[in-house]
Amino acid sequence: MAKLELHVRNYKLLYKYITEDYFKYEIDIISVGDEGCIFHMPSSKEIISIFNTIINAGLQPKLITPKVVDIHFEKIMDLLQTLVNNHLDYQLVINDFGVLYEAYNRKILPSQVFVGRSLSRTLEDTPWHFLLLENEEFSDDMISNTMADYSKYKFLKNYGITGIETSLLPEAMRGLARIQKWGWKINCHLANCAVAFARKCAYAKHKNLEIGNCVNHCHESIDITMSQYSNGIDYQPCHNQLDKKLLDFNLLGNVLYRRIEMQEEWLIDADENITFVIHDYDLEKSDLEHIINTFRRTYHEEITN
Amino acid sequence: MKKLLIKAPINSIYSTELQIESGAGELYGGFEFDYGHSMTFSGRAKKSCFDNRKTIMPYQDFETAVRIAHDNGVKVELVANLPHFNDCNFSGNNDGDKKYIEYIKMGIDAGVDRVIVGDLGNLIRLRAAGINFPVTASTFLTCLNKKTIKFLEEMHIEKVVLPHTFSLEEITEIVTDTKIKVEIFGHFGCSFLESTCGLLHVNDERLQTGIPCRAKFIIQSSGEEISILDVNEDCSLCLLDEVMKTGVESIKTIGRDLDPMFMAAITAVYAKTIDYILEGKSIQEILEIISDEMDFGMWENTFCKEKRCKYMWNNYII
């Protein structure tokens, strides 16, 4: 049976989520941290209490780490070292090869380590991917996840990688099946595709936030629609014949996302090596409720019956 | 202070000659190869979406371009840095991974000095094929910290291209920490880290997306129409003396898909500035000289007035 993970980007709300009846019987894993921004990471002082809260609720804790520059590098190392020192069983997501390299060398990786969505990419992350690939003979291969590559698998396995994170996108599924055959676990983010990651934060710029003190103002995404394209000098209307949905995005911090319609059949046949991931910043969205209900119907009612 | 090299894009013999004449110290380009309808191993599609200009050249022309470059003491890097790659073969007929190696071997036969690689699997494949040729780690490998560079150093790379957004202090620290050559972007930029960016463009797609991170977007909650994603930085001219002090080997300009005359003009401005800095002139003096020598109005309007300065403002950097 597949697992369901709730990513709590705002970890201050952790207790609230754990006690909410709505999630009580569905969630298996709670993740904290962020795939984009270091400032959403708990400190090494906070992490033990956070993880113990999750464990005491009967759930598996998971830490998501972003790409980092040198000035923040040791913060990630301190977190991992603290978790090792406290012998906590947890899952880790790494989005930075430097973090993987150093944590491996310091022997502070847990037993389950996943390559994050900023490293595990697919052309399907691009909304207009089908136009890029429409004349390509090997489009099924080209659109597959970049981690569906045996060289990378062999190499990264030696660094302790045991799975990948990915946005659950219909075209890239064949590559995921290949990864599963190798024995890697897959965490699929439902209804949410990570389109692009930045170091310079457009969200902070738009809201005129001071980096570092911006965390509490960064829990709600900005929904945007591309209206005029730029050739670098001037603008012209997006006179395309395509579905407007291709031009819809949501900006949250330094990551650009797009919402994807969730199809129920994606959940069916998923085995225990698949974890479906939902995010607290999407909690108000009706599609999230649909996901929870679908998951409940697919798995929990099945068990009851 | 050592001379800073400008690494400039080429897509033809003509652009090669123009860039060398304009003062490029290194060039980068690719050649036509039997892989994909519009995709290439070069990290770009075959044609620009703006005007159908080709981004790569026939192999014979590429050989000639390399020869011309070497005759002028200019090095050439082969672009083999497509970021989205795997060895999937669901049809049973796709030998893209083998073709990639073949493409690299042809580039080496043409005489290139380095190969630019942008995918970890391709770097592994290249070494596994016994190709111990100098490699430049593309910005697609996203070296944001010293440990990522160490990680790649163990795979014997010779040069690393840093992502766009860095402070000069960080660049200096990285250059000091590593024995390999470091390259940064000199002109033009991206809002997002390239390897992680799904706003793909310049791929002769039917949908005209332009440069999506510079587009105008309607904010749904307010109806406001602004370039919300545009945190690009474009020009490093006024800080070039400081850039040279960091010890980086080269600055890269982008634009394999752009007008070669336009790109050569950019190279010329940077090359003159570097020469004047080495002569001991101040940036202010240099800007006055350049303004007298050429029509600098477009540059000032596009980059200076809009404050699209690279490495100058560290606001909003995480």
Side-chain angles (χ1 to χ4, degrees):
Chain A
M1 188 180 96
K3 296 186 177 73
L4 189 63
E5 170 187 330
L6 174 66
H7 170 218
V8 181
R9 193 166 182 266
N10 183 2
Y11 60 87
K12 311 276 183 203
L13 299 175
L14 180 66
Y15 189 72
K16 174 181 174 285
Y17 292 138
I18 282 178
T19 53
E20 267 181 13
D21 280 349
Y22 190 69
F23 291 109
K24 217 171 208 168
Y25 305 106
E26 271 68 50
I27 301 294
D28 304 285
I29 299 165
I30 287 194
S31 53
V32 295
D34 192 57
E35 60 191 344
C37 179
I38 185 74
F39 294 106
H40 284 279
M41 301 298 296
S43 69
S44 52
K45 283 179 187 161
E46 293 168 309
I47 193 71
I48 299 302
S49 151
I50 290 171
F51 273 18
N52 278 332
T53 305
I54 296 168
I55 292 165
N56 290 339
L59 305 172
Q60 165 95 52
K62 180 172 166 183
L63 182 67
I64 302 170
T65 60
K67 290 190 189 302
V68 278
V69 290
D70 284 312
I71 196 169
H72 302 305
F73 197 86
E74 283 305 318
K75 181 176 179 182
I76 303 279
M77 292 300 123
D78 286 348
L79 271 169
L80 304 189
Q81 186 65 60
T82 302
L83 290 163
V84 165
N85 293 347
N86 284 273
H87 310 290
L88 286 178
D89 177 33
Y90 73 105
Q91 297 182 1
L92 176 66
V93 176
I94 286 183
N95 278 288
D96 186 313
F97 284 133
V99 169
L100 175 66
Y101 172 83
E102 187 62 7
Y104 172 79
N105 285 329
R106 292 190 194 186
K107 298 182 172 52
I108 53 175
L109 289 171
S111 59
Q112 291 188 69
V113 187
F114 296 83
V115 172
R117 281 200 290 180
S118 80
L119 294 173
S120 135
R121 307 292 297 163
T122 151
L123 283 173
E124 204 173 356
D125 294 328
T126 301
W128 43 86
H129 59 90
F130 53 91
L131 290 172
L132 304 178
L133 293 167
E134 66 182 348
N135 294 318
E136 298 295 349
E137 188 182 350
F138 303 115
S139 58
D140 281 351
D141 304 324
M142 286 175 169
I143 205 164
S144 293
N145 193 289
T146 51
M147 289 295 149
D149 182 304
Y150 195 65
S151 300
K152 284 177 199 144
Y153 162 72
K154 274 198 300 185
F155 183 84
L156 293 172
K157 193 180 164 207
N158 287 337
Y159 271 96
I161 295 295
T162 57
I164 69 157
E165 298 250 314
T166 183
S167 308
L168 188 55
L169 298 157
E171 301 292 329
M173 294 292 271
R174 299 181 79 177
L176 298 186
R178 188 177 189 220
I179 291 169
Q180 267 194 291
K181 277 185 193 161
W182 297 333
W184 269 3
K185 292 184 175 177
I186 298 177
N187 300 333
C188 295
H189 293 245
L190 287 174
N192 164 294
C193 174
V195 177
F197 296 71
R199 184 183 175 196
K200 195 168 186 180
C201 184
Y203 189 98
K205 186 184 177 199
H206 177 66
K207 300 221 170 200
N208 199 22
L209 303 173
E210 188 192 343
I211 294 294
N213 294 324
C214 47
V215 176
N216 290 330
H217 305 279
C218 183
H219 293 303
E220 198 172 308
S221 63
I222 305 170
D223 292 354
I224 55 175
T225 303
M226 196 196 294
S227 53
Q228 295 185 54
Y229 75 81
S230 164
N231 62 8
I233 297 166
D234 51 28
Y235 300 95
Q236 290 181 45
C238 293
H239 52 76
N240 58 80
Q241 320 82 6
L242 291 162
D243 194 327
K244 179 182 160 294
K245 280 181 188 168
L246 292 180
L247 305 173
D248 284 345
F249 300 92
N250 45 309
L251 179 66
L252 184 63
N254 62 333
V255 185
L256 184 69
Y257 294 99
R258 65 187 176 97
R259 295 192 180 93
I260 310 157
E261 252 176 63
M262 218 273 301
Q263 294 171 35
E264 289 186 22
E265 61 265 28
W266 297 355
L267 298 183
I268 298 166
D269 295 334
D271 62 24
E272 70 278 3
N273 289 317
I274 300 273
T275 296
F276 294 109
V277 186
I278 54 175
H279 300 267
D280 68 341
Y281 51 79
D282 272 335
L283 285 183
E284 300 302 319
K285 311 293 175 203
S286 58
D287 55 356
L288 195 69
E289 191 166 317
H290 178 62
I291 290 168
I292 292 280
N293 287 333
T294 306
F295 201 84
R296 182 178 291 156
R297 218 169 36 244
T298 307
Y299 295 104
H300 294 272
E301 286 180 5
E302 189 180 274
I303 288 170
T304 314
N305 295 336
Chain B
M1 203 157 32
K2 70 173 181 181
K3 181 160 176 140
L4 178 68
L5 299 174
I6 301 165
K7 190 170 94 180
I10 53 170
N11 54 15
S12 62
I13 294 174
Y14 173 61
S15 68
T16 304
E17 289 168 339
L18 274 178
Q19 289 288 8
I20 292 170
E21 201 179 306
S22 301
E26 289 186 340
L27 301 171
Y28 66 100
F31 55 85
E32 291 168 9
F33 189 80
D34 178 26
Y35 172 74
H37 177 79
S38 57
M39 309 293 244
T40 74
F41 286 132
S42 80
R44 293 273 171 147
K46 287 177 183 165
K47 290 177 188 170
S48 161
C49 69
F50 294 121
D51 53 10
N52 273 337
R53 179 179 285 111
K54 282 188 174 181
T55 63
I56 47 179
M57 61 188 103
Y59 183 65
Q60 290 83 352
D61 288 7
F62 187 73
E63 286 180 305
T64 306
V66 174
R67 196 171 59 246
I68 292 168
H70 287 174
D71 287 347
N72 287 277
V74 171
K75 288 189 172 178
V76 181
E77 295 188 353
L78 172 70
V79 278
N81 59 334
L82 82 167
H84 292 87
F85 199 74
N86 57 53
D87 59 358
C88 288
N89 183 5
F90 298 118
S91 65
N93 301 319
N94 179 15
D95 54 356
D97 51 338
K98 291 179 187 71
K99 281 188 171 169
Y100 180 80
I101 296 297
E102 201 184 316
Y103 171 76
I104 300 239
K105 283 181 176 169
M106 283 178 72
I108 293 170
D109 288 345
V112 297
D113 300 278
R114 276 184 220 106
V115 172
I116 309 173
V117 179
D119 174 80
L120 181 65
N122 280 340
L123 187 51
I124 297 164
R125 252 183 291 283
L126 200 130
R127 296 312 188 207
I131 300 173
N132 296 311
F133 197 74
V135 164
T136 294
S138 164
T139 186
F140 287 129
L141 286 164
T142 322
C143 291
L144 276 178
N145 52 59
K146 294 175 206 162
K147 296 300 179 187
T148 306
I149 295 175
K150 293 268 182 253
F151 172 72
L152 293 171
E153 272 179 14
E154 292 193 358
M155 302 175 84
H156 308 291
I157 60 160
E158 190 174 288
K159 182 162 64 162
V160 60
V161 185
L162 299 183
H164 289 279
T165 313
F166 268 102
S167 71
L168 290 172
E169 292 75 20
E170 288 171 325
I171 293 166
T172 305
E173 259 194 55
I174 283 173
V175 172
T176 309
D177 188 68
T178 182
K179 291 190 177 83
I180 63 171
K181 294 177 171 71
V182 176
E183 180 172 288
I184 60 170
F185 282 88
H187 203 78
F188 289 134
C190 291
S191 288
F192 294 97
L193 297 164
E194 282 113 318
S195 63
T196 73
C197 184
L199 294 176
L200 294 180
H201 57 94
V202 202
N203 277 292
D204 69 346
E205 65 266 35
R206 237 183 332 121
L207 172 67
Q208 176 53 279
T209 58
I211 306 169
C213 65
R214 296 184 187 225
K216 287 202 172 168
F217 289 81
I218 292 172
I219 296 174
Q220 296 302 337
S221 59
S222 64
E224 197 181 0
E225 188 179 36
I226 54 169
S227 304
I228 187 172
L229 302 182
D230 188 0
V231 289
N232 284 290
E233 298 162 343
D234 286 330
C235 174
S236 62
L237 204 60
C238 292
L239 276 184
L240 213 47
D241 52 347
E242 297 298 322
V243 166
M244 288 167 78
K245 286 178 196 162
T246 65
V248 294
E249 175 79 5
S250 47
I251 54 169
K252 180 182 177 180
T253 61
I254 58 173
R256 271 178 281 156
D257 53 308
L258 301 176
D259 178 1
M261 284 291 280
F262 174 66
M263 291 313 301
I266 288 172
T267 301
V269 169
Y270 279 91
K272 278 183 184 201
T273 305
I274 291 166
D275 287 343
Y276 287 138
I277 289 169
L278 291 172
E279 284 173 18
K281 289 190 170 60
S282 70
I283 286 290
Q284 196 51 47
E285 288 173 307
I286 296 166
L287 291 177
E288 281 168 21
I289 295 169
I290 291 175
S291 298
D292 287 343
E293 284 180 359
M294 59 187 289
D295 180 7
F296 207 50
M298 189 281 279
W299 195 295
E300 285 174 324
N301 284 332
T302 310
F303 306 123
C304 309
K305 280 188 186 162
E306 298 295 324
K307 295 191 173 172
R308 302 189 75 91
C309 318
K310 289 178 102 66
Y311 311 117
M312 194 171 280
W313 325 107
N314 295 329
N315 302 346
Y316 313 118
I317 289 182
I318 294 171

